[in-house]
């Protein structure tokens, strides 16, 4: 059978595309090299708890169109992400807000917090922040940077903060009100019943093959489809011929514990360098779980090497320049659409992936 589209990757990008294509009467085959669908938003039930197998996923967006879109496939709960940061024996609220500043300096008012931060910033003489370190220092001052940003960021990215792009830290809100909501977005929540069910619904009635690697599959089935939607690594697609892009990988150490509540919060970040992991996720708290046991995952960040899962693109200048070269090659592949976090080499959140997929659908599926 010849399909209209071969979709490589059963993650969010591939699944949105497949769903929209089917609605337009197109035929699709979705393949994924993993043994399951849903890509990085895959959830696995352990002890009655939806465990976010590839890292904690909180849906948040300010785009009403995207929010309405995802709500077709699931009902979302009212979870608000409010992580806690542990620095040595001190504990702080995130993101950086009046609760954080009050705990850090024993102060109460926004005015007092601003004065302390301003004083610290004035001593630094940063006019235009050129990297993550300068961006963080010029937003939050030295104390917040040293205790809550530097160690965490260097563990997470394996590079000094001076060599990282400033946009990474701009993901986090910084505010002078007592508000621990990690996101500024209008809409937020966790899909009740987990993310995998969303993708199951998107792929309902569509041919799917798991345990199927594109590079093997296409050798044996070169004429399987008129066009390909590729959501794997763009550099791998081109046989790394311009060199390898850098990614960060994460190792998840997951444990079932015989207690109903281990850390009292879904996300606890460990911001000092000495603790080898970046954060501990206690999955049940995303869904206000009342199970007798609990499941936690420690996240250990590392450089990506072949054979590992590539989770985060390293969007520094060097890698972005190399990606631009791959993008030029991609533009010449007339029958291949590159999409998603790996295909576009972008630090996309889920809402941005849906936005990007819908944009591609609008152009492609006429
Ligand atoms: P993926 O989900 O990675 O799907 C790509 C699929 O392609 C994979 O299943 C892969 O197996 C398959 N594939 C790759 N190569 C091949 C091949 N050669 N052959 C066959 N199949 C192949 N976003 C949020 O909005 N909120 C969050 O809280 C959040 N937390 C995150 C935490 C972590 C640790 C990470 C890594 C990401 C997080 N994200 C979060 C981002 C979110 O995971 C992504 O935006 C989204 O899942 C990307 O979807 P995708 O379809 O582009 O990629
Ligand atoms: N960050 C930090 N301290 C924290 C949490 C985050 O310095 O306690 C920085 C770090 O550089 C991280 C970035 O903020 O990479 C973005 O954090 P986010 O929680 O959005 O990361 P993700 O969930 O995508 O891993």
């Amino acid at each position: 059978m010849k399909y209209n589209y071969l979709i490589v990757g059963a993650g969010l990008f591939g699944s949105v595309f497949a769903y929209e294509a089917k609605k337009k009467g197109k035929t699709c085959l979705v393949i994924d090299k993993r043994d399951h669908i849903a890509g990085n938003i895959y959830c696995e039930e352990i002890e009655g708890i939806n465990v976010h197998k590839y890292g904690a996923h909180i849906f948040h967006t300010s785009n009403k169109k995207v929010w309405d879109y995802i709500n077709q496939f699931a009902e979302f709960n009212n979870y608000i992400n409010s992580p806690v940061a542990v620095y040595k024996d001190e504990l702080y609220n995130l993101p950086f807000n009046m609760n954080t500043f009050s705990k850090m300096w024993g102060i109460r008012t926004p005015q007092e917090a601003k004065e302390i931060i301003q004083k610290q910033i004035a001593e630094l003489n940063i006019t235009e922040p050129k990297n993550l370190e300068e961006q963080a220092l010029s937003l939050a001052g030295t104390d917040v940077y040293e205790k809550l940003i530097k160690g965490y960021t260097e563990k997470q990215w394996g590079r000094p903060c001076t060599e990282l792009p400033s946009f990474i830290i701009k993901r986090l809100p910084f505010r002078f009100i007592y508000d621990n909501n990690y996101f500024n977005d209008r809409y937020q929540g966790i899909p009740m019943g987990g993310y995998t069910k969303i993708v199951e619904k998107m792929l309902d009635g569509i041919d799917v093959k798991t345990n199927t690697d594109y590079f093997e599959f296409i050798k044996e089935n070169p004429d399987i489809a008129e066009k390909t939607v590729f959501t794997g690594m763009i550099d791998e697609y081109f046989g790394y011929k311009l060199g390898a892009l850098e990614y960060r990988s994460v190792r998840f150490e997951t444990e079932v514990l015989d207690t109903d509540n281990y850390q009292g919060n879904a996300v606890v970040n460990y911001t000092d360098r000495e603790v080898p992991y970046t954060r501990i996720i206690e999955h049940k708290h995303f869904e206000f779980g009342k199970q007798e046991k609990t499941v936690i995952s420690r996240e250990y960040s590392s450089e990506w090497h072949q054979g590992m899962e590539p989770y985060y693109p390293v969007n520094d200048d060097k890698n972005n320049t190399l990606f631009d070269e791959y993008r030029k090659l991609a533009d010449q592949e007339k029958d291949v659409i590159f999409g998603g976090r790996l295909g576009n080499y972008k630090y996309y959140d889920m809402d941005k992936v849906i936005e990007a997929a819908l944009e591609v659908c609008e152009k492609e599926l006429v």
Side-chain angles (χ1 to χ4, degrees), residues 69-124:
Y69 188 84
I70 199 74
N71 273 270
Q72 298 174 75
F73 305 101
E75 189 180 338
F76 280 71
N77 71 11
N78 59 336
Y79 176 81
I80 298 285
N81 197 31
S82 310
V84 164
V86 175
Y87 174 78
K88 300 188 190 287
D89 55 356
E90 300 165 22
L91 198 133
Y92 295 96
N93 288 112
L94 290 174
F96 315 115
N97 76 93
M98 280 307 296
N99 288 303
T100 327
F101 308 142
S102 170
K103 181 80 181 279
M104 183 123 354
W105 301 309
I107 49 105
R108 195 159 52 83
T109 67
Q111 184 61 28
E112 289 172 294
K114 282 181 186 167
E115 277 169 17
I116 293 175
I117 291 172
Q118 276 314 322
K119 190 164 172 287
Q120 295 187 356
I121 293 174
E123 286 160 10
L124 297 165

Side-chain angles (χ1 to χ4, degrees), residues 289-302:
K290 299 276 181 289
Q291 299 83 355
E292 281 175 16
K293 293 192 179 178
T294 196
V295 181
I296 61 163
S297 301
R298 294 185 184 83
E299 296 187 12
Y300 297 83
S301 184
S302 70

Side-chain angles (χ1 to χ4, degrees), residues 85-361:
V86 175
Y87 174 78
K88 300 188 190 287
D89 55 356
E90 300 165 22
L91 198 133
Y92 295 96
N93 288 112
L94 290 174
F96 315 115
N97 76 93
M98 280 307 296
N99 288 303
T100 327
F101 308 142
S102 170
K103 181 80 181 279
M104 183 123 354
W105 301 309
I107 49 105
R108 195 159 52 83
T109 67
Q111 184 61 28
E112 289 172 294
K114 282 181 186 167
E115 277 169 17
I116 293 175
I117 291 172
Q118 276 314 322
K119 190 164 172 287
Q120 295 187 356
I121 293 174
E123 286 160 10
L124 297 165
N125 256 330
I126 299 166
T127 42
E128 182 127 339
K130 288 186 294 296
N131 53 50
L132 194 152
E133 176 170 286
E134 292 189 359
Q135 180 70 55
L137 282 168
S138 62
L139 266 178
T142 320
D143 291 343
V144 171
Y145 174 68
E146 293 290 338
K147 291 188 171 181
L148 300 180
I149 298 174
K150 190 174 193 297
Y152 186 95
T153 299
E154 295 190 351
K155 280 194 286 189
Q156 167 73 11
W157 295 99
R159 289 157 176 75
C161 291
T162 46
E163 288 175 18
L164 287 164
S166 43
F167 85 87
I168 293 177
I169 199 69
K170 286 200 213 148
R171 287 170 58 87
L172 307 190
F174 177 81
R175 44 172 105 98
F176 290 96
I177 50 175
Y178 286 91
D179 177 1
N180 295 329
N181 184 348
Y182 201 57
F183 303 111
N184 279 329
D185 284 318
R186 169 72 181 77
Y187 309 102
Q188 181 173 176
I190 300 285
M192 287 155 82
Y195 286 93
T196 311
K197 291 206 174 82
I198 292 181
V199 177
E200 271 167 14
K201 284 191 187 163
M202 287 177 176
L203 296 179
D204 187 33
I206 293 169
D207 290 350
V208 178
K209 274 179 188 288
T210 49
N211 293 309
T212 304
D213 186 275
Y214 170 73
F215 300 103
E216 295 297 315
F217 182 76
I218 202 66
K219 271 190 236 157
E220 279 155 34
N221 304 277
D223 298 319
I224 190 80
E226 289 154 14
K227 282 192 159 185
T228 300
V229 175
F230 187 83
T231 73
M233 295 156 68
I234 189 167
D235 53 344
E236 186 180 18
Y237 179 89
F238 290 107
Y240 305 103
K241 67 176 166 195
L242 304 176
L245 289 163
E246 291 174 304
Y247 301 84
R248 292 294 287 173
S249 195
V250 184
R251 180 168 64 84
F252 300 97
E253 197 180 81
T254 296
E255 245 186 288
V256 179
L257 302 177
D258 215 356
T259 167
D260 66 338
N261 188 2
Y262 171 70
Q263 62 182 13
N265 205 30
V267 184
V268 178
N269 290 3
Y270 288 81
T271 58
D272 58 305
R273 281 230 65 140
E274 283 64 43
V275 178
Y277 40 87
T278 50
R279 54 190 175 194
I280 300 182
I281 305 301
E282 187 168 11
H283 301 267
K284 70 191 305 179
H285 297 311
F286 288 123
E287 298 187 64
F288 316 110
K290 299 276 181 289
Q291 299 83 355
E292 281 175 16
K293 293 192 179 178
T294 196
V295 181
I296 61 163
S297 301
R298 294 185 184 83
E299 296 187 12
Y300 297 83
S301 184
S302 70
E303 202 60 22
W304 174 85
H305 300 290
Q306 256 175 29
M308 294 167 115
E309 291 287 353
Y311 288 109
Y312 294 89
V314 180
N315 288 120
D316 58 10
D317 289 345
K318 183 180 90 181
N319 285 289
N320 285 343
T321 305
L322 181 55
F323 170 70
D324 287 343
E325 294 305 309
Y326 277 116
R327 188 64 251 174
K328 285 181 198 152
L329 290 180
D331 289 341
Q332 289 162 25
E333 298 277 296
K334 290 296 169 228
D335 293 330
V336 185
I337 296 164
F338 292 83
R341 224 186 211 206
L342 303 173
N344 276 334
Y345 198 67
K346 291 263 162 9
Y347 190 179
Y348 277 147
D349 280 327
M350 290 179 279
D351 61 327
K352 295 291 183 289
V353 167
I354 294 174
E355 230 171 77
L358 290 176
E359 227 168 81
V360 167
C361 290

